[in-house]
Amino acid sequence: MSLDRTVAHFVTHRRRFVFLVAGLITGLCIATILFALRFDSDILDLLPRQFDSVQALKVSDREFTNARQLTFAVCDTSGAQDAFMLDTAAEKFRDALKQQPWAVRVTSAPPLDSSEGVGDLQKYLAVPLLLNLDPAVFANAIQALQPGRIAARLHELRQKMETMSVAEMKLNFDALGVVQEALKPLAGSFSGEQTQSFTSADGSLHLVFVETNQDGIDPHACQALMRKVESFEARFLAENSDLPVKILVTGRTAYVDQISRAMRFDILSTLAGSIVLVSLVFYFGFRRFWPLFALMHVLLLCCIIAIAVGGLIFHQLNLITIGLCSILVGLGVDFGMLLYGSYQSQRNAGVAHEQAIAASLRQLGGGIFFGAITTAAGFSSLALSGCAAFMQLGVLIGIGILFASVLMMTVFYACVSRNRPPEEHDFLFEGGKKYVRAIFKNPKPVLIATTVLLVLMCAAALAPIGKLRLEADPKTMEPKCDASTALHTIQEKFPAAHEPLLVLVSAKDAEEFHGAWTKLNERWAQAVNSGGIKSFRALGAFALSPERIHQNLKQLANLDLSVARETLTKTLDVEGFNANDESFQNSFALIDALQNAKQHNAQSFDWRKILPPQSSWWFVLDQFFAKNGYLGAAYITPAEKIRSNAAKESLREQLTVPGISMRITGWSYVLADLIPWAKHKLILLSVVMVLFNIVLLTFLYRSLAPLMILMISLALSIGAMVACLKFFGFALNLFNVLAFPLVLGVGVDYGIYILLALRQPGDKEHAFATIIKPVLLAGLTGIAGFGSLALAHNPALQGLGIVCALGIAWCLFATVFFILPAYVARAQR
């Protein structure tokens, strides 16, 4: 017995066994999804991993960006630009935040602009920074602690207080004149225009930073915390309804919360959209509910299998894979549509149920097999992209398509009822017969008209008419959410908040780390003076040198700090100050801290042990120093925007110091790698897909002429697609260019079905009339599957779906109006 008859007999007489196996597979796959699969919402995983700039960007996100930090923006909605009102609202918001159990530390001002920050500087930071000075500078600095110098400084400041308010500020900030010496190296760590204000220049926005205590950084933990944050915001605005402000929030936690929720919405919306569109197409073509119901169950099983297998292979699926189900529904339904269309035509001709199944398998089984291979190959080619997210999407859809081809020829037919009566009238089939009959009478008018149209579209694609835009910024892939809107608003109000280039510097030990930053500060200061870069920000002064501290402690041993303390007390009394005043306690604490370092010979300091967790200085230090190890960051503003690889290499030369381990990254720097990568991958994957199609179709056709017709059709369809993208002003991005090989893999299927109809024995006109309706419906469902991705929040999915839907539409058009007439014309000749 032939294979088609064997399968037809089995699915007809062993339906319960087929359903039992399908149920077991479904149960195993669901268990795998629940226990072995996680979703990754990190947008950086959309980028190809082979570039060092991309890897460095991921390191910075993992090691420097405080995963538990939130940035709030208190925005003035009155339009009055009332700075006093905004500051009052920000202070109220800050005080309310401090009362929240999930807030570890809060700040609404730079450390040096707040009394708490100044106090922490004098108590915890000044001594390590002082001991980290060059020994010669340190020797001069501690002279300020000599009794005569102390008395002279306080007397001078006391006299100036009567006429100058600055003198009072100096007295409160640094009564001894030592702290200012410790801070001098910081002046070399910054260059150019550096803003330290938390209020925007137009007075409409004030920033507040919060470090939270959330347990983890996974989506569930982020969602749980953001529910508390949203509840707090609502209470604050309700209790302060007299303040004309609104609250924006951004940060990694907010992003993960909103993107993970958007992922669920995208999964449901795109899948629902795909199912609805595919169902409408199916019902429009066949006027049957039960086959549609069976078809959807089989497609759901294919999706579950693909996700489960993906979970076993990758363990973690990226946000781009949420488009899997809608694409698989749109493409997998093609097989069912073709099989059921052939089955229905057999039933309408009076053939029995089992024999109709065997006939449809005999007619289309080979085509579906080869079609599944070409489609799976098109998606699997994304594994060559070097991008983990698209590799996952391609592999999973390839797996799902292969399973769909098998399940449609088995489980689907087991679900089709044998008792359904034949359809009395099928206007689509009748319309297809009339079109095929007209083509067989005279194919040349349609062939010529279609060829002219497609050639003109290709000419428009190549001609300098319109412009095919390329959005090169990877951030255009960022899903739309409130956290993204808040970040962009902050960046508009604070130009310095725009992401500059990032330089990561690593070392083996503290001494090497300190030496690296000393050399880099000198090198970059020269680059600023020569115009090589516009500015830089670094906190190399906080990279402590054990060797310097050791030498400075030796000098400190010769200083009697008890005398300095006694002198400070007496001089304050003589000058009429109260030594118990809080503003002077920090000066006493500084002397005590130096005495403690001197007694314990503290040759190393750890900022994470010195600074209290509530200190606002952590909001500064966390930007520049990693959580663990000797890894630091600096922020560079280039003199000009990086527009080419040559500009990138020139900048690298400006920043690099031999012998220092450093990595350069940042979005503009990454672009210099990604733009050539996108162009290369577009060419590579398209060539790979074309060669695969040629090899497979050569084996299938075994004739040059039909192969050439099909390949010409694909080329014309791609050209027409590009022309439409230009006419409609749709912009390509770094990732939807990968749609081109997918269109080549999917679009070739329709030509394969037409060829197999040509090879059927008997009446060729009847064979084409039988296949034209299922091919048309299959193309429409493919367009619907990709088109439903336009409902997603994720721009990468939206672009991929739109480009693929447009390309498949042209492939379908070329199949019906170019390939079919060309095959008929060749056969007649």
Side-chain angles (χ1 to χ4, degrees):
M1 185 182 294
S2 62
L3 180 61
D4 53 276
R5 291 182 180 180
T6 302
V7 173
H9 180 79
F10 185 82
V11 298
T12 302
H13 300 281
R14 297 289 187 272
R15 296 177 66 190
R16 292 184 179 179
F17 180 77
V18 173
F19 295 150
L20 176 62
V21 172
L24 290 175
I25 293 175
T26 302
L28 289 174
C29 290
I30 290 176
T32 301
I33 293 171
L34 293 177
F35 297 106
L37 180 62
R38 293 181 298 145
F39 283 98
D40 175 21
S41 58
D42 190 353
I43 188 177
L44 293 180
D45 287 335
L46 290 177
L47 304 180
R49 68 184 90 183
Q50 66 264 36
F51 298 108
D52 182 70
S53 58
V54 173
Q55 293 300 322
L57 199 62
K58 292 183 178 182
V59 169
S60 70
D61 183 68
R62 182 174 64 249
E63 299 293 339
F64 289 89
T65 302
N66 196 315
R68 294 171 174 81
Q69 182 175 305
L70 292 174
T71 301
F72 290 92
V74 181
C75 304
D76 181 3
T77 58
S78 67
Q81 297 183 353
D82 187 343
F84 178 77
M85 183 280 297
L86 186 64
D87 289 343
T88 301
E91 289 178 5
K92 285 187 176 182
F93 188 70
R94 177 201 62 193
D95 294 339
L97 274 173
K98 288 182 177 180
Q99 304 303 315
Q100 302 309 305
W102 42 267
V104 174
R105 53 178 173 264
V106 183
T107 186
S108 61
L112 291 178
D113 289 352
S114 64
S115 58
E116 295 88 349
V118 172
D120 288 343
L121 170 65
Q122 295 169 325
K123 291 178 184 177
Y124 307 111
L125 300 180
V127 170
L129 291 176
L130 191 63
L131 292 172
N132 197 49
L133 293 174
D134 181 89
V137 177
F138 177 80
N140 182 64
I142 60 175
Q143 293 301 313
L145 297 176
Q146 296 292 343
R149 295 279 292 272
I150 294 175
R153 177 177 174 80
L154 290 176
H155 179 70
E156 180 184 3
L157 292 176
R158 182 69 180 86
Q159 289 183 325
K160 290 182 177 180
M161 281 180 58
E162 298 177 0
T163 57
M164 298 176 60
S165 61
V166 176
E168 184 175 359
M169 294 174 58
K170 288 184 177 181
L171 187 64
N172 294 332
F173 176 71
D174 186 15
L176 297 171
V178 177
V179 175
Q180 63 184 14
E181 295 296 327
L183 293 180
K184 281 184 178 180
L186 289 178
S189 298
F190 297 88
S191 69
E193 298 179 359
Q194 305 292 340
T195 179
Q196 295 294 322
S197 176
F198 282 14
T199 304
S200 62
D202 62 2
S204 64
L205 186 147
H206 194 109
L207 299 180
V208 180
F209 297 93
V210 181
E211 184 74 15
T212 68
N213 64 352
Q214 67 184 85
D215 295 331
I217 57 176
D218 59 279
H220 294 294
C222 293
Q223 291 170 13
L225 178 67
M226 289 308 297
R227 299 296 79 74
K228 298 176 183 178
V229 172
E230 291 169 359
S231 176
F232 161 72
E233 287 182 20
R235 291 198 308 271
F236 175 82
L237 293 175
E239 294 169 0
N240 298 273
S241 56
D242 58 316
L243 295 175
V245 297
K246 68 177 180 178
I247 308 298
L248 305 178
V249 59
T250 188
R252 188 186 188 281
T253 299
Y255 264 96
V256 172
D257 163 54
Q258 294 168 16
I259 291 176
S260 59
R261 285 190 290 162
M263 285 173 66
R264 290 199 298 266
F265 172 81
D266 285 351
I267 292 173
L268 296 176
S269 63
T270 57
L271 179 59
S274 181
I275 290 175
V276 169
L277 292 174
V278 167
S279 299
L280 290 175
V281 172
F282 186 92
Y283 186 76
F284 173 75
F286 298 106
R287 297 291 199 278
R288 304 285 193 190
F289 280 112
W290 178 251
L292 174 61
F293 182 75
L295 200 64
M296 290 302 142
H297 275 74
V298 175
L299 291 173
L300 178 61
L301 177 57
C302 294
C303 293
I304 293 173
I305 292 174
I307 295 174
V309 175
L312 293 175
I313 296 174
F314 301 109
H315 304 295
Q316 181 171 272
L317 299 183
N318 197 275
L319 56 88
I320 200 71
T321 57
I322 61 179
L324 162 72
C325 294
S326 60
I327 296 175
L328 196 53
V329 167
L331 296 179
V333 75
D334 291 0
F335 305 141
M337 199 89 71
L338 290 162
L339 290 169
Y340 188 74
S342 177
Y343 166 83
Q344 187 189 53
S345 67
Q346 296 292 330
R347 293 286 281 158
N348 289 341
V351 179
H353 174 71
E354 183 177 335
Q355 286 72 30
I357 293 176
S360 62
L361 290 175
R362 183 168 55 253
Q363 180 186 23
L364 291 170
I368 287 175
F369 174 74
F370 285 106
I373 290 178
T374 56
T375 303
F379 280 95
S380 298
S381 68
L382 295 181
L384 301 176
S385 67
C387 178
F390 280 89
M391 178 181 68
Q392 291 177 3
L393 178 68
V395 172
L396 264 64
I397 292 181
I399 292 171
I401 288 294
L402 293 176
F403 273 100
S405 65
V406 175
L407 296 178
M408 287 299 178
M409 290 188 284
T410 53
V411 177
F412 173 65
Y413 272 137
C415 297
V416 175
S417 173
R418 69 176 68 191
N419 299 320
R420 296 294 295 179
E423 194 168 292
E424 296 180 359
H425 178 68
D426 187 342
F427 71 96
L428 282 178
F429 179 71
E430 296 299 328
K433 284 178 62 176
K434 292 179 181 178
Y435 171 71
V436 170
R437 188 177 299 118
I439 292 296
F440 267 82
K441 285 182 179 180
N442 188 6
K444 289 183 179 180
V446 174
L447 180 60
I448 293 173
T450 304
T451 303
V452 170
L453 173 61
L454 291 174
V455 169
L456 288 176
M457 294 295 288
C458 289
L462 297 173
I465 302 173
K467 185 177 181 181
L468 185 62
R469 296 187 297 114
L470 174 64
E471 291 180 346
D473 191 346
K475 286 200 166 184
T476 57
M477 303 297 97
E478 189 176 62
K480 301 179 180 67
C481 60
D482 292 339
S484 173
T485 302
L487 177 61
H488 294 160
T489 301
I490 292 172
Q491 289 178 338
E492 289 176 2
K493 299 293 185 179
F494 293 86
H498 283 279
E499 294 190 53
L501 295 185
L502 182 66
V503 179
L504 303 183
V505 179
S506 59
K508 298 177 181 178
D509 52 45
E511 193 62 41
E512 181 182 337
F513 195 54
H514 168 81
W517 283 112
T518 301
K519 295 177 182 178
L520 288 172
N521 278 349
E522 295 175 357
R523 178 74 180 92
W524 296 344
Q526 294 174 2
V528 171
N529 294 332
S530 64
I533 60 175
K534 185 177 181 181
S535 63
F536 72 91
R537 291 185 294 130
L539 282 185
F542 282 83
L544 304 179
S545 166
E547 178 62 28
R548 282 190 175 185
I549 293 174
H550 175 68
Q551 295 182 33
N552 291 333
L553 284 173
K554 287 183 178 180
Q555 297 188 61
L556 190 63
N558 299 322
L559 182 65
D560 191 345
L561 293 171
S562 61
V563 174
R565 200 180 202 285
E566 183 180 352
T567 302
L568 177 61
T569 304
K570 290 181 179 180
T571 306
L572 289 172
D573 184 60
V574 169
E575 298 295 338
F577 296 112
N578 182 3
N580 295 321
D581 195 332
E582 184 178 355
S583 60
F584 298 117
Q585 294 310 302
N586 291 326
S587 297
F588 287 107
L590 175 64
I591 296 175
D592 293 340
L594 285 171
Q595 181 67 38
N596 183 63
K598 174 182 174 181
Q599 292 176 348
H600 294 87
N601 195 28
Q603 297 185 25
S604 64
F605 295 89
D606 185 346
W607 294 120
R608 300 197 177 275
K609 295 179 180 178
I610 295 174
L611 269 175
Q614 296 79 16
S615 175
S616 60
W617 280 95
W618 282 120
F619 292 103
V620 178
L621 293 178
D622 279 341
Q623 297 180 51
F624 295 91
F625 297 107
K627 302 170 187 176
N628 302 297
Y630 297 102
L631 179 65
Y635 301 87
I636 308 292
T637 304
E640 297 179 356
K641 187 176 181 180
I642 301 174
R643 300 182 184 277
S644 65
N645 191 61
K648 185 190 82 168
E649 293 303 320
S650 175
L651 180 64
R652 172 178 284 277
E653 184 179 346
Q654 292 278 346
L655 300 178
T656 301
V657 174
I660 295 179
S661 176
M662 56 184 289
R663 307 168 77 177
I664 306 175
T665 187
W667 286 113
S668 60
Y669 197 82
V670 168
L671 280 179
D673 290 324
L674 291 187
I675 292 177
W677 167 84
K679 295 178 180 177
H680 171 72
K681 290 301 178 183
L682 169 62
I683 296 173
L684 173 64
L685 297 181
S686 298
V687 169
V688 169
M689 200 59 231
V690 168
L691 292 177
F692 179 84
N693 282 344
I694 291 174
V695 172
L696 184 65
L697 295 175
T698 300
F699 172 78
L700 180 62
Y701 285 9
R702 300 179 185 178
S703 177
L704 181 61
L707 172 61
M708 292 300 297
I709 291 173
L710 183 51
M711 298 311 295
I712 291 172
S713 170
L714 285 175
L716 294 174
S717 300
I718 293 293
M721 178 186 75
V722 172
C724 287
L725 293 176
K726 291 175 65 176
F727 295 156
F728 297 150
F730 184 81
L732 292 175
N733 55 50
L734 291 170
F735 298 108
N736 61 28
V737 295
L738 300 178
F740 287 76
L742 299 185
V743 172
L744 292 172
V746 176
V748 74
D749 294 353
Y750 311 125
I752 292 177
Y753 303 141
I754 294 295
L755 173 70
L756 292 177
L758 178 65
R759 290 188 170 182
Q760 290 296 313
D763 185 1
K764 296 296 187 293
E765 181 178 333
H766 177 76
F768 278 134
T770 302
I771 200 65
I772 196 68
K773 171 188 169 182
V775 166
L776 179 62
L777 295 177
L780 292 176
T781 54
I783 296 170
F786 279 107
S788 65
L789 295 182
L791 300 174
H793 287 83
N794 187 342
L797 274 182
Q798 288 179 350
L800 183 70
I802 292 172
V803 175
C804 284
L806 187 59
I808 292 175
W810 277 109
C811 287
L812 179 63
F813 173 83
T815 299
V816 176
F817 297 104
F818 178 81
I819 295 179
L820 178 59
Y823 280 169
V824 171
R826 178 177 177 274
Q828 289 180 347
R829 187 177 62 200

